[in-house]
Amino acid sequence: MLTTALRNVLAHKARLLMTVLAVCLGVAFVSGTLVFADSTAAVQRAAASRTFADVAVSVTAKEPVATPDQPGVLTDVLARRLADVPGVAAVRPSVDGSATLNAADGRPLRVKRGTNLAAAYVPGRDGKDVRYPVVEGRAPAGADEIAVDRGTAAAGRYRVGDTITLATDGPALTARLVGTVTTGDTRVTAGGTLTLFDRATAQRLFATPGNYTSLEVSAGPGAGQYELAERIAATLPPGTAEVTTGQAQADQQALYVGTLTRGYQKLPMVFAGVSLFIGSFLVVNTFTMLVARRTREIALLRAVGATRRQVVRSLLAEAALVGVVASMAGFALGLGIAAVLPGLLSGDGNQVPKGPLVIGPRPVAAALFVGVGVTVPAAWLPSRRAARIAPIEALRAAAAPPGGRSRLRPIAGVGLLVLGAGLLTALARSAEDASEENLRNAMLGCGVLVVALIVLAPTLAVPVIRLTGRLTRRFGVAGFLARQNALRDPRRTAATAATLLISTALVSGLATIGHSTGQALDRQTADGLAADYVISTGDTMTGIDPAAVQRVAGAPGVRGASAVADSTAVIGGKVREISGIDPADVEPADVEPDGVGQVLKLDFVSGSAQDLGPGRIAVSSSVARETGVSTGGQVNARLGRSEEFTRYTVVGVYQDNPTAHDAVGARADVQKHSFKPGSVQRILVRGDGVSGEGLRAAVGNNPLLKVQDRAELVREAAGTMGDLLTLMYGLLGIGVVISALGIVNTLAMSVTERTREIGVLRAIGMERGGIRRMIRLEAVTVAAFGTLLGLAAGLFGAWAVGALAGGAVKQYTLAVPWGTLALLCLASLTIGALAATLPARRAATLSPLEAVAAA
């Protein structure tokens, strides 16, 4: 039986090729992602080890950086003392911090991953810093000079001699670029930036004169890291500093960079899961058709003594062989994916570490497990059906007609449909609770709904195709025959359309949710904000120079500028955001602002912003609902850096507003407890003809500050929508490719089965063009069936999941992207027609006499 299985695989290798390709895609994504992850981790570990190769021990202060009132311990005196410790070869003082730069076009050079690292250039006896080799120009030597790494220079389009605007933690500074360096620091190579100052300037910016942020010790010959660390710890004043080995620092930095790049692995794995899930239907369909084609052969085996178990094993062995071939091909393709992923994922100043591929046992085992694990289970049902073929079938002159309809299938399908739809409907009614558990249940409900449609597809195929067949009948006899061929075997039609059903459901659902969320965020921003521009720091730990508010107010075209102090507030046991405002800046949401300072719209359910003051706050509807507080009530809150709770009177409850955050209070009250006392974190600007460039100039082109108009605020609030669209189009591409393979495979095997029928049609006068048209229309009919079911499932799932999103994004309403869905339908039908090209051409080239004579 094993010999028979091998012979059958070789005999039907052309028909199994599409199945191999479909499974190969999924295996490639899995193995490629694992190889990429292992290779990236190895590169990160090697880079971190090189960075700390000359560091045996690092000494850092336990207390915050030294201040004029509290002298630090990491001084030149301590450095000289450590240099005398036995086993110490050298001590390198280090000053690290953070600096953000403006690019050559004047806009902030921001990074999505990595760190905006700043450090001191510390030359040795030879005048060079081995940590940062200079490749162009020279090292910084004055307060108005800096150097950057080559990656930062390329991202910012800097040239030696340029004047660069930068900021560390406060007003903007300007410095001249005097050189570029190289670095192996993974915090920079992972997509960060590096800015180097001379030692005195770095101490003034990130510590205090004469103090360092760390002392890095290199070991002499024969001195071990742990032994040296113990000697140094004994030298330090008790409780003043921490001692860490260089290996521990390298491991910690590799782990840090690994967390930054871990997200790269998620998207390929999603593609792998979808492609394998869709490809499994192609496996089922292929083996079902092969079993139907080989009915007489299997019956003959049964007649000569083969048992049912042997028939099952034979077909499963065929599937295993297909899986092994798909695994090998997929692994080879996966190596190519792993090689190109770093280049594809790098960009916008973010670099994925590159290095040689690391092929460990995990991706090899995963490739084999996935390839065989998909094909063998998918072939189990067809093999069970083959085992039920009676030996008497060997005496029939032709292959047995398709089996009758299953009575259990409609019952099971309706049950799953009711379960999935009921779960989604129940979750949609609890739209206020967008918890992680509800979202998981919603995804489960969507999965059950899709499975229900797949189970019901053979039952739905007949009425749906008869309905769409009214369009194909316009093409005459070819259209009529195409509809009849699609109805001939509803199971086969449904299995072929299942791949398009899944991909269409995914894409239409994601597109609808993304479109609806984008419109909701747009409305929410417009309703809650009367300002035209917002200048912000992006976090509560950084402040805007109070004098900048006056400069902004005097900028051309500005009619009003209001400062907002942002901080955190612990209310009801949760950390929330609170905004400190001037009550005069607030206008009711249903009234058009008439004052120059009215930049914030708040829709109060009860109370008013005019009652804000010391000890009095207003809260959003969500906070009021979660804490059970109402206007006139009191609530305990701890603001900012305050260590004690204070009892606040609630003077109003307003509809959730992203601009006002979770609570609002008087600005002076919030500033008193903020992390940077007296500072503000946002400036809301109204004006006529005001420009972002003018506002950036008013705040000194400070790269720490973001100047955004309403459209930019919406794009930022919709941050993940871009990733969602990438995922959507990726899933569409995978679904289209596998669906095309399925249609080609089904039609090719169908043409083989209908050889005599096609010969008769040619003999009675149908031209080759009519044969080709018939095959293409059959493919379009199948594609239309899968697309319609997929659209129905996707829109229903988007309604339910989107209703849950409304709990997090207020003003969410279902908005159908008709244009996108129309393009999706057109793409599906076009793919169906194109996939039929080869089978149609093969059918048209059949000789009428040879076709009629075929057995």
Side-chain angles (χ1 to χ4, degrees), residues 402-428:
R405 297 181 182 179
S406 171
R407 296 181 180 180
L408 182 61
R409 178 185 291 270
I411 297 175
V414 170
L416 290 172
L417 185 65
V418 171
L419 176 62
L423 179 59
L424 290 175
T425 303
L427 290 171

Side-chain angles (χ1 to χ4, degrees), residues 92-96 118-123 129 132 138-148 175-176 178 195-207 211-212:
R92 180 186 183 277
S94 178
V95 187
D96 293 334
Y121 186 87
V122 183
D129 189 339
Y132 306 114
R138 59 177 176 83
D144 59 345
E145 296 179 347
I146 62 171
V148 299
R176 186 165 60 91
V178 297
T195 307
L196 295 177
F197 302 87
D198 68 285
R199 185 187 312 199
T201 303
Q203 287 178 324
R204 176 174 55 82
L205 291 174
F206 309 119
N211 286 273
Y212 304 98

Side-chain angles (χ1 to χ4, degrees), residues 201-409:
T201 303
Q203 287 178 324
R204 176 174 55 82
L205 291 174
F206 309 119
T208 55
N211 286 273
Y212 304 98
T213 57
S214 66
L215 297 175
E216 298 172 349
V217 180
S218 57
Q225 290 189 3
Y226 294 99
E227 179 185 0
L228 192 59
E230 291 178 355
R231 294 176 186 172
I232 291 175
T235 306
L236 298 172
T240 59
E242 293 182 352
V243 178
T244 308
T245 64
Q247 184 60 51
Q249 280 194 297
D251 294 341
Q252 184 178 7
Q253 191 169 115
L255 179 63
Y256 166 73
V257 178
T259 59
L260 296 178
T261 57
R262 192 172 298 158
Y264 293 132
Q265 304 171 22
K266 295 180 180 179
L267 193 60
M269 281 300 187
V270 171
F271 289 163
V274 172
S275 60
L276 289 170
F277 182 65
I278 297 176
S280 64
F281 290 92
L282 179 55
V283 177
V284 173
N285 199 26
T286 300
F287 276 90
T288 299
M289 296 176 67
L290 285 175
V291 167
R293 180 68 179 171
R294 291 156 49 190
T295 299
R296 294 181 63 190
E297 174 188 330
I298 296 172
L300 184 59
L301 289 174
R302 294 278 287 114
V304 298
T307 64
R308 291 184 176 184
R309 183 173 298 179
Q310 287 177 314
V311 171
V312 171
R313 288 177 178 175
S314 175
L315 287 173
L316 293 182
E318 292 182 36
L321 290 173
V322 171
V324 169
V325 173
S327 298
M328 295 170 60
F331 185 76
L333 181 59
L335 294 180
I337 292 176
V340 302
L341 270 179
L344 293 176
L345 297 174
S346 298
D348 297 329
N350 302 298
Q351 297 297 319
V352 177
K354 298 180 181 179
L357 296 181
V358 176
I359 304 175
R362 186 175 64 146
V364 176
L368 187 62
F369 176 78
V370 169
V372 178
V374 168
T375 54
V376 173
W380 184 77
L381 284 177
S383 67
R384 296 284 294 178
R385 191 175 298 120
R388 291 197 294 267
I389 295 176
I392 193 65
E393 296 291 341
L395 302 179
R396 295 184 181 273
R405 297 181 182 179
S406 171
R407 296 181 180 180
L408 182 61
R409 178 185 291 270

Side-chain angles (χ1 to χ4, degrees), residues 632-692:
Q634 292 188 327
V635 64
N636 289 325
R638 178 165 60 84
L639 271 60
R641 59 188 178 88
S642 175
E643 296 181 357
E644 297 180 355
F645 280 87
T646 303
R647 200 158 185 81
Y648 287 86
T649 300
V650 178
V651 299
V653 177
Y654 56 89
Q655 293 287 355
D656 289 14
N657 187 305
T659 305
H661 297 152
D662 301 309
V664 295
R667 185 168 65 239
D669 204 18
V670 174
Q671 284 177 318
K672 184 170 59 176
H673 301 288
S674 66
F675 295 100
K676 293 202 71 172
S679 67
V680 297
Q681 281 67 43
R682 284 182 291 166
I683 304 175
L684 310 184
V685 182
R686 288 186 65 201
D688 297 319
V690 64
S691 66

